[in-house]
Amino acid sequence: MLASLRWTSLRLRLVVVFAVVALTAAVSASGIAYWLNREAVLTRTQDSALGDFRQQMQNRAASLPLRPSQNELQATVDQMTQGKAGFTVLLVGEREEGKPIIATSDPDDFTFDDVPERLQDAVNDRQDVRVTNSTPYHLYWQRIQLRGKPYLVGGTRIVGGGPTGYVLKSLDQEREDLNTLAWSLGIATALALVGSALLAQAASTTVLKPVRRLGDAARRLGEGKLDTRLRVSGTDELAELARTFNKTAASLEKKVADMSAREESSRRFVADMSHELRTPLTALTAVTEVLEDEIDNLDPMIAPAVNLVVSETRRLGDLVENLMEVTRFDAGTARLVLDYVDVADQVTACIDARAWLDAVELDAERGIMARLDPRRLDVILANLIGNALKHGGSPVRVSVRPVADELLIEVRDHGPGIPEDVLPHVFDRFYKASASRPRSEGSGLGLSIAVENAHIHGGTITASNSPDGDGAVFLLRLPLDDPAAPKEEPGESTQPENAFAADADAATDLDGPDGPDRPSDTESPGRGEEGQR
């Protein structure tokens, strides 16, 4: 039911609106018709009864003496109700001053106590005779309920002296007729409501069909099917909306195609440039290694320049390697080579390979097994730990613990922390928090590469400051066993080779045999500025 209401929510609103409008119109029309018919029926009945009663009072009661006897009064009452009168009459006279006598045609149905006091007062109220009022007494009537049934009661008195007469007319038949009319109008209202619902259903189907097509087209467009178009027919507002959608989709398709072409060109340029730089860099690296070996024999004036050339050559090589790795991530050709490894052994190996044992405290139990890419885990750890050593404060503490189905690796330093305005950007490429220090030892890509390696594992990396204000905390989350990952044999790749990764020879290990003086995989955006805090 909920699903049905959800997909027809607009349809339901249209049906409800139609139903409310129809119900309002039907109820209003029925109410007006009932009121008009009721007034017509009651007016006709009371005019007929009161007219006959007035005529009988003039013909019969007016001929009585001023002081009639009980028998005369009763005889007159019987004469007034004989035949097809259809009402009951009650006459009130006086045989002597202050001694009233009462005669009624049906003592069980109509007595003087049944006459409302207000009606008695109105009937006995003598009015002044003037131009606008020719008689001192008038005929008054009132609708009442007696013993649960409706009645019309009226009264008047003889002008010039004589008895006062009251008439009682049952309205039970009129009530039944009006109830029948009310039922008829209620049925008509219900039929109008059903008809309006059917009409609303038909109208909503006509209106919502193009709207649903537009929604489906927008959904396909959001899924990346930029060639989606709507068939346009007619000249109404919905047709104009379809034309606007088609124009928008065409413009979006063109812009996305242009952007994709430019992005592909940029990626190809970076990849080709990085690949072409490897050949001269290889030669430069060989020369710098020779110079580095002979630095003790060089002129002390030349040695600083040689050291600078050696460090900058290595830095350039690291930058090229990082750019090629970033290009592979952007192109979607980065590969995972999964294996079941002991996480504690991997962290220890990363720290030992870079001679960080004296500067890093490790809190990790052996036996925590995880299915991941050892090389890429080494890249992540090298960047996080190296970044903490370079920009934080010793000691740097690395803790490893499994929580539910996740592996948590926390790297915490004891430095000044990360400025709040820098935190959202620490993983951005080439981000610098301060334009006054545009150059640093790092390439500004280390932390972004670490994040990409975490994402390819299905994990995340977050950066924050310690709650006690003592340093920064980087938290790596990796799935212990990703059920969505294909179950390859250890050592198999989770992503196929791609022609774009023609730099297979360029996809060398990012870590390499780096010591503490050459952290090729620990270059970071510097927590806000490249290589600098």
Side-chain angles (χ1 to χ4, degrees), residues 134-194:
S134 59
T135 60
Y137 299 105
H138 296 274
L139 176 62
Y140 296 94
W141 58 269
Q142 185 177 348
R143 294 173 190 152
I144 62 172
Q145 289 280 337
L146 288 179
R147 295 171 288 279
K149 294 184 178 181
Y151 286 92
L152 171 70
V153 59
T156 186
R157 63 182 302 167
I158 302 298
V159 178
T164 301
Y166 295 97
V167 61
L168 183 70
K169 170 66 176 177
S170 174
L171 299 177
D172 194 51
Q173 182 61 46
E174 284 73 16
R175 182 174 67 175
E176 292 180 2
D177 294 342
L178 291 175
N179 287 341
T180 302
L181 175 64
W183 275 104
S184 301
L185 293 176
I187 294 173
T189 300
L191 292 177
L193 186 61
V194 173

Side-chain angles (χ1 to χ4, degrees), residues 424-484:
H425 306 287
V426 293
F427 297 109
D428 294 351
R429 297 174 184 175
F430 302 109
Y431 176 76
K432 296 181 178 67
S434 174
S436 62
R437 306 187 70 176
R439 186 181 182 278
S440 69
E441 296 178 1
S443 66
L445 293 173
L447 287 182
S448 64
I449 291 176
V451 168
E452 295 292 348
N453 279 297
H455 288 169
I456 202 174
H457 279 89
T460 60
I461 302 178
T462 57
S464 61
N465 288 313
S466 174
D468 56 10
D470 184 18
V473 179
F474 285 81
L475 183 61
L476 168 64
R477 294 176 179 266
L478 295 175
L480 277 177
D481 188 11
D482 185 5

Side-chain angles (χ1 to χ4, degrees), residues 139-451:
L139 176 62
Y140 296 94
W141 58 269
Q142 185 177 348
R143 294 173 190 152
I144 62 172
Q145 289 280 337
L146 288 179
R147 295 171 288 279
K149 294 184 178 181
Y151 286 92
L152 171 70
V153 59
T156 186
R157 63 182 302 167
I158 302 298
V159 178
T164 301
Y166 295 97
V167 61
L168 183 70
K169 170 66 176 177
S170 174
L171 299 177
D172 194 51
Q173 182 61 46
E174 284 73 16
R175 182 174 67 175
E176 292 180 2
D177 294 342
L178 291 175
N179 287 341
T180 302
L181 175 64
W183 275 104
S184 301
L185 293 176
I187 294 173
T189 300
L191 292 177
L193 186 61
V194 173
S196 68
L198 296 177
L199 181 62
Q201 180 73 11
S204 62
T205 299
T206 303
V207 173
L208 293 180
K209 188 175 181 180
V211 174
R212 194 182 305 106
R213 286 203 302 264
L214 179 61
D216 294 338
R219 192 178 304 109
R220 292 196 299 272
L221 194 65
E223 293 171 353
K225 300 176 183 178
L226 301 181
D227 58 342
T228 302
R229 298 293 185 274
L230 288 172
R231 188 186 60 202
V232 180
S233 59
T235 58
D236 56 9
E237 290 80 359
L238 292 175
E240 185 62 28
L241 179 60
R243 292 189 187 91
T244 303
F245 176 86
N246 289 342
K247 292 178 182 178
T248 303
S251 176
L252 180 62
E253 184 180 20
K254 182 178 183 303
K255 289 183 179 180
V256 170
D258 293 342
M259 292 175 61
S260 299
R262 288 195 295 268
E263 185 178 358
E264 179 64 25
S265 177
S266 300
R267 283 201 301 264
R268 175 60 64 180
F269 173 75
V270 173
D272 292 345
M273 180 188 67
S274 302
H275 185 68
E276 294 298 326
L277 285 175
R278 289 175 60 84
T279 300
L281 274 176
T282 302
L284 287 174
T285 301
V287 173
T288 55
E289 289 176 353
V290 172
L291 290 176
E292 189 175 21
D293 292 339
E294 297 295 330
I295 195 168
D296 294 336
N297 301 323
L298 296 177
D299 188 327
M301 298 294 293
I302 301 176
V306 172
N307 282 328
L308 180 62
V309 170
V310 170
S311 62
E312 291 300 315
T313 301
R314 287 176 175 171
R315 181 170 176 270
L316 181 60
D318 295 337
L319 178 59
V320 171
E321 296 292 345
N322 287 339
L323 286 174
M324 294 185 66
E325 186 73 356
V326 168
T327 303
R328 281 190 284 273
F329 281 122
D330 290 345
T333 58
R335 300 181 301 165
L336 280 179
V337 181
L338 297 176
D339 198 358
Y340 282 99
V341 298
D342 189 311
V343 179
D345 289 345
Q346 291 295 313
V347 178
T348 302
C350 174
I351 296 173
D352 184 54
R354 293 162 178 81
W356 290 339
L357 290 174
D358 295 337
V360 177
E361 296 178 357
L362 178 60
D363 178 15
E365 295 183 1
R366 293 179 58 85
I368 302 175
M369 304 299 293
R371 187 168 178 268
L372 42 79
D373 187 329
R375 183 186 72 84
R376 294 191 181 276
L377 177 62
D378 184 82
V379 171
I380 297 172
L381 294 173
N383 275 287
L384 296 182
I385 299 173
N387 187 74
L389 289 171
K390 185 185 299 183
H391 307 296
S394 295
V396 172
R397 182 178 179 82
V398 180
S399 60
V400 180
R401 64 184 185 277
V403 176
D405 58 349
E406 284 187 325
L407 174 66
L408 303 185
I409 302 178
E410 182 181 273
V411 179
R412 174 176 178 173
D413 62 49
H414 290 78
I418 307 174
E420 292 297 328
D421 60 330
V422 175
L423 270 175
H425 306 287
V426 293
F427 297 109
D428 294 351
R429 297 174 184 175
F430 302 109
Y431 176 76
K432 296 181 178 67
S434 174
S436 62
R437 306 187 70 176
R439 186 181 182 278
S440 69
E441 296 178 1
S443 66
L445 293 173
L447 287 182
S448 64
I449 291 176
V451 168

